[in-house]
Amino acid sequence: MLRPRIPVNPSPTHLVPRLVEPTAITPSPGQPTSPCACTHVGPVAPLSSRAPGSSIRLTGTGLACAVAGGTAVVLVVGAVLVSMLLAVAITGVSVTVCAVVLRSLLNTSRHQH
């Protein structure tokens, strides 16, 4: 009941189908082209105005803001990590102190009887 069942291919061919990219349909030379009912505006402008592969240029102020932001993130993350480590250390010390106190209380009660 709990064993997974793997489906079995009834006719394994070990062939991986290739992805076929669609090609534009070109009419044969003797066939007239029918105009479509839609209106074409023209070529579509690219979404990005930058050329592909170009890098981002930062001004001096932008670079200073990026450095200050990165420094702030590193300091905040460091402070959070240090505070978590400190919380774990304090918890460990308090548990140790409680264990020592309980041990001494139990030992003194055993010695008194």
Side-chain angles (χ1 to χ4, degrees):
M1 180 176 147
L2 298 177
R3 290 184 180 169
R5 308 237 172 152
I6 301 171
V8 179
N9 188 359
S11 61
T13 59
H14 303 293
L15 296 176
V16 178
R18 291 186 150 179
L19 293 177
V20 178
E21 294 193 17
T23 58
I25 299 174
T26 56
S28 59
Q31 197 175 27
T33 59
S34 62
C36 61
C38 58
T39 58
H40 295 282
V41 178
V44 178
L47 294 176
S48 174
S49 61
R50 294 186 304 139
S54 66
S55 62
I56 298 173
R57 307 249 179 206
L58 288 178
T59 61
T61 307
L63 183 62
C65 288
V67 169
T71 304
V73 167
V74 167
L75 289 177
V76 168
V77 169
V80 168
L81 291 177
V82 167
S83 65
M84 289 172 62
L85 181 64
L86 188 61
V88 168
I90 290 172
T91 304
V93 168
S94 65
V95 167
T96 304
V97 168
C98 289
V100 169
V101 168
L102 284 175
R103 183 178 175 189
S104 68
L105 287 174
L106 289 175
N107 282 340
T108 55
S109 69
R110 285 185 190 156
H111 290 299
Q112 288 177 357
H113 291 282

